[in-house]
Amino acid sequence: MAGANATAGDSHATAAGQPAADASTDDLPVFPGDLPAFAVQLRRMHGEVGRVIHQYAARRNLHATDVQALAAILDAPEPMTPSRLRAVLGLTSGAVTACIDRLERAGQVRRVREDADRRVVHLHYAADARAAARTHFRPLADALRQAGADFDADELSVALRFLTALNDALAQVSGESAGR
């Protein structure tokens, strides 16, 4: 039987609960923490955030992909274009067009043509929709504040650095299963 720290479905766990070495992880650095515990907590956080996102989508009659698109538009360091949104979401051009059309009809986004080059379209979060999203997602910000209250600025800086590195690494993961 696998150790108490092994994750469900981990067929490569040793008796100590750590994943057994296999060819796919031989070239990776050793994770100095409790990898299964991190995996459990990340899945749990993903589920909790997903639950709030799905509630928002249902209340606004949106698809979960539409909410992902809104987040991408909100978080973009520069004005979002349909082609960049396609790349971020990993969707086809037609699927992104349908998503933007739904968001525009729902009053969530506006398409704005650039003055210098009218072929370029920027997507902007509608002001009313942004306010509604802030209201709905405020409990997530409150939970972040509450959880962070027990940590000092240096600890939070390390946590942010870890999450940033993790997201950067996850962005490099393909949708294909390795070795299959």
Side-chain angles (χ1 to χ4, degrees):
M1 179 171 172
N5 290 336
T7 57
D10 185 358
S11 61
H12 294 86
T14 65
Q18 296 300 317
D22 65 35
S24 66
T25 60
D26 284 345
D27 58 340
L28 295 176
V30 173
F31 186 81
D34 184 344
L35 186 60
F38 269 86
V40 166
Q41 292 305 317
L42 288 168
R43 283 192 299 271
R44 183 175 169 212
M45 182 178 69
H46 180 265
E48 294 299 334
V49 171
R51 178 180 52 79
V52 175
I53 288 169
H54 285 284
Q55 288 170 347
Y56 181 77
R59 287 183 179 140
R60 298 277 169 208
N61 293 317
L62 300 173
H63 187 278
T65 301
D66 299 343
V67 181
Q68 287 179 306
L70 288 171
I73 293 166
L74 180 66
D75 295 343
E78 57 191 27
M80 183 61 76
T81 65
S83 61
R84 281 200 296 272
L85 184 60
R86 182 181 74 75
V88 167
L89 298 179
L91 298 175
T92 65
S93 296
V96 166
T97 298
C99 175
I100 295 168
D101 288 347
R102 285 190 307 269
L103 289 171
E104 195 170 40
R105 279 192 308 272
Q108 300 291 308
V109 298
R110 294 179 298 110
R111 287 179 171 113
V112 177
R113 296 211 176 266
E114 188 178 87
D115 289 335
D117 184 348
R118 301 290 294 158
R119 295 172 297 177
V120 177
V121 174
H122 290 152
L123 304 171
H124 295 277
Y125 214 125
D128 290 346
R130 185 185 297 248
R134 278 192 181 127
T135 298
H136 181 85
F137 290 105
R138 184 172 318 277
L140 289 180
D142 294 345
L144 181 61
R145 285 186 189 95
Q146 182 179 6
D150 292 335
F151 298 87
D152 66 32
D154 290 338
E155 290 173 312
L156 291 173
S157 178
V158 170
L160 181 59
R161 190 167 57 92
F162 173 75
L163 289 172
T164 300
L166 178 59
N167 282 324
D168 291 347
L170 289 172
Q172 302 305 311
V173 174
S174 75
E176 306 276 324
S177 294
R180 291 193 183 153

